[in-house]
Amino acid sequence: MLMIFIVVLVGLIAILFIFRKKDVDRNISEFPLKWREILLKEVSFYKKLNTLDRSIFEERVQLFLKNKKITGIQTEITDEDCIFIASGAIIPLFRIGEFYYPRLNEILVYPEHFNTNYDLKGEDRDVLGLVGAHGIMNGTMILSQKALRQGFRNAKDGRNVVIHEFIHLIDGADSSMDGLPEVLLEHQYTIPFMKIVKEEIDNIHQGKSDINPYGGTSDTEFFAVVSELFFENPRKLEKDHPELFSILKKLFKVNENY
Ligand SMILES: [Zn+2]
């Protein structure tokens, strides 16, 4: 009994911490027309929203951009890049509430893929995005501009590096980036979620799954990879992995018609 109480209490504190709104500069003006055109043209999640939800989405885009620093490294950042980054931050938690990732200070945009030494010229440049909670990467996200743009322009391929990296931050909001997003998981779904994750990772390892094999490298990557697919191509995930789709719907609190 005491254990349940402690678990619930820790959960509540984590939720309060993750959704705290203090320190957010809310001084914004009218949403720029040019930004709306980008959303309508490139962000399929936004396009599917009704008028009221679109205005909520737009306000969150503005607040995110007002409160986060985005810096191009050896590249020019466009309005489109900024809208893509903000959208990737907002989409996963859109139905849950406002959240501006208090532990994230800056997003660095590299022109191309990079390697694990943050090197743009060295070997093995296969990293599309990175987010860190420790050491020199504390509070920083790095994104490949090329991958960032591809993520939104190929709306149905199930790949979106921005959503992927923000999912890692949501996963880590309970202090452990372990593929178990305690801030989203209601107690009764924890065991079923862990069971599905194990089964699906086993299927990837046995070559019996069409999920991006990178998801088989760890529970953390699995959660990020399937969340990308959930937000990019929900119909495919629903058709091929109905149980997983159903539990992700509960996690992200999207409605029946999603
Ligand atoms: Zn990852």
Side-chain angles (χ1 to χ4, degrees):
M1 188 64 198
L2 181 67
M3 202 53 211
I4 295 171
F5 175 74
I6 292 170
V7 169
V8 170
L9 189 69
V10 169
L12 283 174
I13 292 168
I15 287 166
L16 280 175
F17 179 77
I18 181 172
F19 292 114
R20 70 190 177 145
K21 292 181 196 167
K22 74 173 183 132
D23 303 333
V24 173
D25 179 353
R26 306 192 70 88
N27 184 19
I28 49 172
S29 47
E30 208 178 326
F31 196 75
L33 206 58
K34 201 176 146 209
W35 290 11
R36 190 169 295 138
E37 281 166 10
I38 297 169
L39 286 171
L40 280 169
K41 188 161 167 256
E42 308 283 5
V43 181
S44 60
F45 183 92
Y46 169 87
K47 272 191 276 185
K48 287 188 261 174
L49 297 175
N50 64 29
T51 314
L52 175 65
D53 284 339
R54 281 184 183 180
S55 66
I56 294 170
F57 194 97
E58 290 174 359
E59 185 189 58
R60 291 185 190 172
V61 164
Q62 279 182 296
L63 288 172
F64 182 89
L65 294 177
K66 178 103 188 170
N67 286 278
K68 300 294 172 196
K69 194 169 170 208
I70 301 177
T71 309
I73 306 292
Q74 298 174 31
T75 189
E76 285 280 316
I77 299 295
T78 63
D79 279 2
E80 197 177 58
D81 294 325
C82 294
I83 296 289
F84 286 169
I85 293 169
S87 296
I90 290 155
I91 287 169
L93 294 174
F94 186 69
R95 295 293 173 199
I96 296 169
E98 263 191 38
F99 178 53
Y100 299 108
Y101 304 86
R103 292 183 197 171
L104 177 69
N105 302 320
E106 186 171 23
I107 299 117
L108 304 179
V109 179
Y110 285 14
E112 281 277 349
H113 300 4
F114 46 96
N115 66 22
T116 45
N117 294 323
Y118 321 113
D119 195 344
L120 282 160
K121 292 218 172 79
E123 306 219 326
D124 299 326
R125 287 182 297 110
D126 57 0
V127 184
L128 284 59
L130 264 182
V131 66
H134 310 288
I136 55 165
M137 280 292 288
N138 191 15
T140 307
M141 180 182 287
I142 305 181
L143 296 167
S144 147
Q145 192 173 37
K146 190 175 162 192
L148 160 71
R149 292 173 178 179
Q150 276 172 352
F152 281 90
R153 287 186 183 144
N154 300 334
K156 289 232 153 128
D157 67 351
R159 307 280 177 100
N160 186 309
V161 68
V162 194
I163 291 178
H164 183 109
E165 297 309 326
F166 279 103
I167 288 287
H168 281 326
L169 285 181
I170 295 164
D171 178 7
D174 53 33
S175 299
S176 55
M177 227 179 256
D178 55 2
L180 202 61
E182 275 140 80
V183 288
L184 301 181
L185 262 175
E186 285 174 38
H187 194 59
Q188 75 261 36
Y189 302 129
T190 307
I191 303 288
F193 180 72
M194 287 166 77
K195 189 171 157 279
I196 291 174
V197 170
K198 191 184 173 318
E199 281 170 12
E200 296 284 356
I201 289 182
D202 285 348
N203 285 339
I204 294 175
H205 290 164
Q206 289 164 26
K208 291 194 288 189
S209 174
D210 58 348
I211 290 174
N212 177 358
Y214 188 58
T217 56
S218 67
D219 290 10
T220 313
E221 294 307 335
F222 179 82
F223 180 51
V225 159
V226 294
S227 299
E228 286 178 73
L229 186 56
F230 181 78
F231 288 109
E232 285 250 310
N233 197 341
R235 293 292 73 78
K236 179 166 168 50
L237 187 67
E238 183 180 28
K239 184 169 154 282
D240 300 342
H241 307 272
E243 260 190 295
L244 180 60
F245 177 77
S246 158
I247 205 155
L248 288 176
K249 261 175 82 173
K250 291 186 176 90
L251 250 70
F252 294 114
K253 298 200 169 23
V254 297
N255 61 26
E256 274 313 300
N257 302 321
Y258 180 71

